[in-house]
Amino acid sequence: MRRRSSSAGLLGALMTLAGFGHITLGGLPVMVQNANADDNGKAARAPSMPMARDPAVAVAEEYEAARRKGTREAFELFIARHGDDPLAEQARAELKRLSR
C-alpha cells in the first residue's frame, strides 16, 4: 500500500481541533471581532482620551501639598519646580516664616 500525504486532511483535522469558529478567513479572531463591536455588530469607535488637566489646578494642588507638609524641603521643591508661578511668592513667604 502506498501512503499519500493529504494536506487537506491535515488542515481539516487542525481546524476541527482548533474549533472552526475561532478564526474567520482573512480576518481577526472571532473573539476580537466581538470585543471590537457594539450591540449592532458595527465596529466601535476608538476610546477618546480624557481632557488634559488644567496646569494651574495641578500647580495649586502641589502648593497645597507643600503647605500641608509644612517643611522647608517641600517649599524649596515647589519653588524649584514652579519658580515663575504666583504661588511661588507665597512659598517664599512661607520659607521666611519657617526661618524665624
Side-chain angles (χ1 to χ4, degrees):
M1 269 186 155
R2 287 179 37 187
R3 296 177 86 172
R4 292 180 6 185
S5 65
S6 173
S7 61
L10 181 59
L11 180 62
L14 287 175
M15 289 176 77
T16 301
L17 290 174
F20 187 74
H22 288 300
I23 297 179
T24 59
L25 296 176
L28 296 171
V30 173
M31 296 295 286
V32 173
Q33 285 178 343
N34 292 343
N36 289 338
D38 63 7
D39 293 334
N40 298 328
K42 298 176 187 170
R45 292 186 339 166
S48 61
M49 295 295 294
M51 294 290 293
R53 289 184 62 200
D54 183 5
V57 173
V59 171
E61 288 175 357
E62 193 172 334
Y63 173 75
E64 284 302 314
R67 194 181 60 75
R68 279 192 307 272
K69 205 169 202 182
T71 64
R72 181 171 197 77
E73 292 80 17
F75 287 117
E76 288 173 347
L77 179 61
F78 178 82
I79 293 168
R81 288 182 179 171
H82 309 289
D84 296 335
D85 194 85
L87 288 173
E89 289 304 316
Q90 292 180 15
R92 288 183 185 97
E94 290 289 333
L95 276 176
K96 287 180 185 177
R97 187 184 61 76
L98 285 174
S99 297
R100 293 183 194 165

